[in-house]
């Protein structure tokens, strides 16, 4: 089973705290990989929050291909940052030749276009690059969005952190929202794309447990949006559902919970909004989560959310101090970085609630 | 007139063959053979009767509804001792024997009722596998008719499919006894989420207008069997069971009326909500239904427009005059005669038209509050039909019921029963995958029937169909069997067309109907449903699902490669 953890903090943080949480929870994963999405960036990307940031791992040939494509589309390179990667043979990590993090300026024609059109351009561009590099087998494109950085690597998380110098507190990668996962690779071939957190149009999500409705979810999502693609991991489905419910349908976030874990019919029938809930259940029956899953997600406005499956088969805990809220699969992860917090105030989200952490770091518990 | 052939066999011949018997007189043995007269070898069942143990009570003869047994007197020779100095002599007794009647009007159906009632176990029907029935039974130029089910279906595909994906570690199995299972399915037209009439008001979704009617029902429905095809008591037992399951166990099982209407008392009671009213091409019973509308206190669960039936696709309904008793005439509003529903709805020549006319008028009749579904026979063309309905622009097609070749019927021509029709599973899969390809799965729920529960294991059959994409299944014969029907797929009984059902299930003869204990039949059906409900949970729990796994074909494997490939599920050996 994967272990997941996320931090939402008032002040910018390096990746070290999430890594510490991962190490604390390492009994639950097999050290086969580490993936991280950083949002609300600071550090080296601080001054470029409005510019889309491309996160990519590739070969030099792959970079050349991507460069050409970006040129053709009219994107202008604004900032190029490459992490120093420790080449030591001793580290258990399957390095890619290049790790590319670049800010681009929008093509001229798009600079004054409405956000909706720019969003579409960014997604289409990412998908096109991904396809290009997949076809030539020259690399992976993870995200292309303002103020969002993605790193996914195969290997032992400690060694990955070592190689990328992620342990250092004083370092270029800093963010106020960090989501990370260490993987337990049970079902799928080790594919970089299969590592969560997954990101799409401002929505980040990671989860654990197996998605028993993976096939149903995937069959349905494939036709909903061309950006719902890949499906290398069954957890991707949870992201697409989040995106569909909140972004495409424009439903308030609490309906995500109604879609993924609908109320039992008897309970539903007792509610005044039963007709609406029943319609939602019918229309979204193929988006349900029916297995043992916990999801932690981040919305485009920076709010963090946590939800469990309807039987609460997977644990998750939310702890906090004055400066940060932390969600993790296991309480030992939270203890690791917030040992002095008031643990009585920890929240163990129930099967019928949605926990939302807003921008003022207030932890709200919304009953379904 | 039976033709007689006298066969003279000369002595030479007898010697040569070695099996002849020479008469004392020295004349050659002469056999008189009525070769075209019907004989026990012609018929599918032979009666084995044991004269030694039979106590001559007559129960078998009295019980056989087909008059296939006759008492007759039999002369029996025996040796006796006579005289003061005893010497053997021949004597004879005349005693009663039971004889099988071997004519087309009264041949034995193998129903086994005689065996059931015999107190000494002295009589039983034995299948006569090498009978000549098909070549003798078309006498008078009339095709063979039969009720029941098809007999010539090779293999049973459902049994080659297993639930092969078992949750174990990362996705734990559930506990069928402890967890809550949400086993309802939607009957009615579903809108895609982005077409739902909803708007956000104060952070909540509120309804802004009409959306198609939809009911959450139990995924196993009782298929359409009419009062007429069934005895009124059998129909009553089904209706009672459904009422009981709903009211006492809160299991929202729905039952389809079949073509032929319903008693007004039921139409105007609250129990109408558990009934799906059928309209077929004969429109039988609709006069009463329409007249009862102003008195209805609730809506029916749905309306089912029957276009076709799996057991005899392309053929209309048939209720032989023998079964059109007075009460049937009253319910259906017809005289005493053979009742034939036309093979198609007169005036509907295309799917588009059927959507517009039939669906609209049925929807309008109940003011768009009741889902209107359609039932067709599975066919090579099912996907096109389904597709046309999926595109229904008015959102008024509330369900697609598809019936396969293994479905049953009250009466049909044998040639149709055995030789026409389409197995259900591949068409279910095709239709579901077609909906998937369009991103429209679930918008028109697919319900399938035809052979579900044939081996008695309805839960397993239903579960597999659901994983293949069905929103639910409908079953019928199994409930008759639970009530006491003795018919099977290998030719036992299947005399539903004769009006002589030996167990009172599909006859209107009051003396036969009296054989059926309504309460016991209803109780058995209730018990069966409760067991099926447990069994469904026992199948859902190991795959870790508490909601119906509609379309979760990854849970299935087949041990038959061809089946696995055709249904796009895993092959395992
Ligand atoms: S098996 Fe049925 S049909 Fe045949 S003789 Fe016995 S009672 Fe009559
Ligand atoms: S017992 Fe009755 S219902 Fe069953 S097959 Fe025979 S005639 Fe038909």
């Amino acid at each position: 089973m994967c272990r997941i953890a996320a931090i939402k903090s008032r002040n910018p943080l390096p990746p070290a705290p999430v890594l510490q949480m991962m190490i604390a929870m390492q009994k639950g994963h097999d050290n086969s990989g580490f993936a991280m999405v950083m949002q609300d960036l600071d550090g080296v990307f601080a001054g470029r929050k409005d510019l889309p940031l491309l996160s990519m791992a590739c070969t030099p040939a792959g970079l050349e291909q991507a460069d050409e494509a970006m040129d053709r589309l009219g994107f202008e390179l604004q900032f190029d940052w490459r992490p120093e990667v420790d080449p030591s043979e001793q580290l258990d990590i399957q390095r890619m030749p290049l790790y590319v993090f670049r800010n681009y300026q929008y093509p001229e024609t798009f600079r004054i276009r409405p956000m909706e059109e720019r969003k579409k351009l960014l997604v289409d561009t990412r998908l096109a690059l991904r396809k290009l590099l997949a076809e030539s087998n020259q690399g992976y494109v993870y995200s292309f969005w303002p103020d969002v950085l993605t790193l996914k690597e195969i290997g032992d998380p400690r060694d990955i952190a070592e190689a990328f110098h992620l342990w250092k507190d004083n370092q270029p990668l800093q963010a106020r929202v960090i989501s990370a996962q260490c993987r337990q690779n049970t079902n799928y071939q080790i594919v970089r794309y299969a590592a969560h957190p997954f990101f799409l149009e401002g929505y980040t999500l990671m989860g654990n447990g197996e998605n028993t409705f993976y096939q149903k979810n995937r069959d349905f999502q494939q036709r909903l949006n061309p950006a719902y693609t890949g499906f290398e991991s069954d957890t991707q489905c949870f992201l697409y559902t989040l995106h569909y419910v909140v972004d495409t349908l424009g439903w308030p976030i609490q309906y995500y919970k109604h879609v993924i874990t609908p109320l039992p019919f008897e309970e539903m029938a007792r509610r005044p909004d039963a007709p609406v809930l029943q319609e939602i259940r019918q229309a979204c029956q193929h988006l349900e989560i029916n297995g043992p899953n916990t999801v932690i997600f981040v919305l485009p406005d920076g709010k963090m959310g946590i939800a469990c499956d309807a039987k609460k088969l997977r644990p998750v805990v939310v702890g906090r101090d004055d400066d940060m809220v932390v969600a993790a699969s296991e309480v030992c992860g939270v203890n690791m970085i917030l040992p002095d917090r008031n643990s009585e105030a920890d929240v163990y989200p129930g099967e019928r609630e949605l926990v939302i952490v807003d921008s003022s770091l207030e932890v709200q518990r919304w009953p379904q | 007139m039976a033709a007689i052939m006298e066969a003279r066999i000369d002595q030479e011949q007898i010697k040569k063959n070695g099996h002849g018997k020479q008469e004392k007189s020295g004349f050659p043995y002469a056999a008189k053979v009525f070769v075209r007269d019907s004989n026990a070898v012609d018929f599918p069942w032979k009666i084995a009767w044991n004269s030694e143990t039979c106590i001559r009570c007559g129960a078998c003869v009295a019980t056989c509804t087909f008059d296939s047994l006759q008492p007759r007197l039999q002369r029996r020779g025996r040796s006796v001792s006579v005289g003061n100095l005893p010497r053997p002599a021949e004597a004879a007794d005349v005693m009663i024997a039971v004889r099988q009647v071997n004519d087309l009007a009264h041949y034995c159906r193998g129903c086994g009722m005689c065996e059931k009632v015999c107190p000494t176990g002295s009589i039983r029907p034995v299948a006569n596998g090498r009978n000549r029935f098909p070549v003798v039974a078309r006498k008078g130029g009339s095709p063979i008719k039969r009720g029941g089910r098809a007999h010539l279906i090779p293999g049973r595909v459902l049994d080659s499919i297993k639930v092969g994906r078992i949750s174990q570690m990362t996705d734990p199995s559930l506990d069928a006894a402890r967890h809550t299972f949400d086993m309802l399915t939607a009957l009615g037209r579903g809108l895609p989420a982005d077409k739902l009439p909803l708007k956000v008001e104060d952070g909540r979704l509120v309804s802004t207008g009409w959306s198609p009617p939809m009911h959450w029902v139990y995924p196993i429905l009782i298929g359409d069997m009419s009062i007429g095809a069934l005895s009124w008591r059998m129909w009553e037992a089904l209706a009672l069971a459904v009422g009981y399951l709903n009211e006492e166990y809160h299991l929202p099982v729905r039952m389809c009326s079949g073509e032929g209407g319903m008693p007004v008392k039921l139409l105007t009671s609250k129990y109408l909500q558990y009934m799906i009213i059928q309209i077929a091409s004969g429109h039988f019973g609709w006069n009463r239904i329409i007249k009862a509308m102003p008195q209805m206190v609730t809506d029916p669960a749905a309306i089912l427009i029957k276009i076709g039936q799996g057991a005899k696709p392309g053929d209309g309904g048939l209720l032989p005059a023998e079964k059109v008793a007075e009460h049937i005439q009253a319910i259906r509003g017809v005289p005493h005669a053979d009742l034939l529903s036309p093979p198609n709805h007169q005036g509907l020549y295309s799917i588009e038209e059927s959507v517009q006319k039939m669906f609209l008028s049925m929807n309008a009749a109940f003011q768009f509050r009741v889902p209107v579904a359609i039932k067709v026979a599975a066919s090579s063309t099912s996907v096109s039909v389904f597709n046309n309905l999926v595109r229904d622009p008015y959102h008024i097609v509330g369900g697609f019921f598809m019936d396969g070749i293994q479905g049953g019927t009250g009466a049909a021509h044998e040639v149709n029963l055995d030789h026409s029709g389409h197995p259900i599973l591949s068409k279910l899969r095709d239709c579901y995958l077609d909906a998937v390809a369009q991103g429209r799965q679930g918008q028109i729920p697919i319900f399938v029937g035809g052979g579900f529960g044939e081996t008695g294991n309805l839960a397993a059959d239903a579960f597999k169909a659901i994983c293949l994409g069905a929103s639910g299944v409908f079953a019928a014969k199994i409930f008759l069997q639970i009530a006491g029907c003795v018919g099977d797929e290998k030719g036992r009984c299947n005399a539903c067309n004769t009006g002589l059902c030996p167990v009172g299930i599909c006859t209107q003869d009051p003396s036969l109907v009296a054989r059926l204990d309504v309460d016991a039949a209803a109780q058995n059906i209730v018990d069966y449903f409760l067991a099926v409900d447990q069994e469904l949970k026992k199948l859902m729990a190991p795959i870790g699902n508490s909601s119906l796994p509609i379309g979760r074909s990854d849970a299935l494997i087949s041990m038959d490669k061809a089946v696995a490939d055709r249904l796009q599920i895993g092959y395992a050996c």
Side-chain angles (χ1 to χ4, degrees), chain B residues 45 47 60 63-66 68-69 107-115 125:
Chain B
W45 298 88
I47 287 298
C60 55
T63 300
C64 179
T65 53
F66 306 100
S68 307
L69 298 175
Y107 69 95
C108 169
R109 312 292 180 128
C111 72
M113 294 308 283
C114 48
E115 184 176 2

Side-chain angles (χ1 to χ4, degrees), chain B residues 83-168:
Chain B
N84 294 336
L85 273 176
R87 60 188 167 76
E90 282 187 2
D93 288 336
V94 173
M95 56 200 318
I96 294 174
V98 176
R99 189 183 76 109
Q100 179 171 0
V101 181
N102 293 317
D103 66 51
L104 271 175
H106 304 105
Y107 69 95
C108 169
R109 312 292 180 128
C111 72
M113 294 308 283
C114 48
E115 184 176 2
K116 224 174 225 183
V117 296
C118 177
T120 58
S122 303
I123 190 165
R124 68 193 160 92
V126 178
N128 174 21
R130 301 178 64 185
N131 68 73
R132 301 174 64 245
F133 191 71
V135 295
V136 300
R138 292 174 172 88
K139 248 201 168 130
S142 73
I144 303 174
K145 293 193 199 76
R146 208 181 64 217
R149 57 281 276 163
H151 293 165
L152 297 177
I153 312 286
R156 194 167 178 276
V157 172
L158 272 166
D159 290 336
S160 84
I161 299 173
K162 306 287 173 203
V163 181
R165 186 210 174 282
I166 306 302
S167 299
Q168 292 182 63

Side-chain angles (χ1 to χ4, degrees), chain B residues 66 148-149 480 484-488 492-496 498 500-506:
Chain B
F66 306 100
R149 57 281 276 163
L480 305 188
C485 161
V486 293
D488 72 7
R492 190 161 63 202
C493 199
N494 290 306
C496 324
T498 58
L500 299 171
C501 172
V503 293
I505 284 177
C506 53

Side-chain angles (χ1 to χ4, degrees), chain A residues 54-58 62 66 125-134 139-144 150 152 193:
Chain A
L54 179 67
S55 301
M56 184 166 89
C58 58
T125 306
R126 177 177 60 82
L127 294 175
L129 290 180
R130 175 184 164 141
K131 187 159 174 266
L132 196 68
L133 269 65
Y140 305 88
V141 183
Y142 301 119
S143 58
F144 183 40
T150 306
K152 297 188 177 184
Y193 281 132

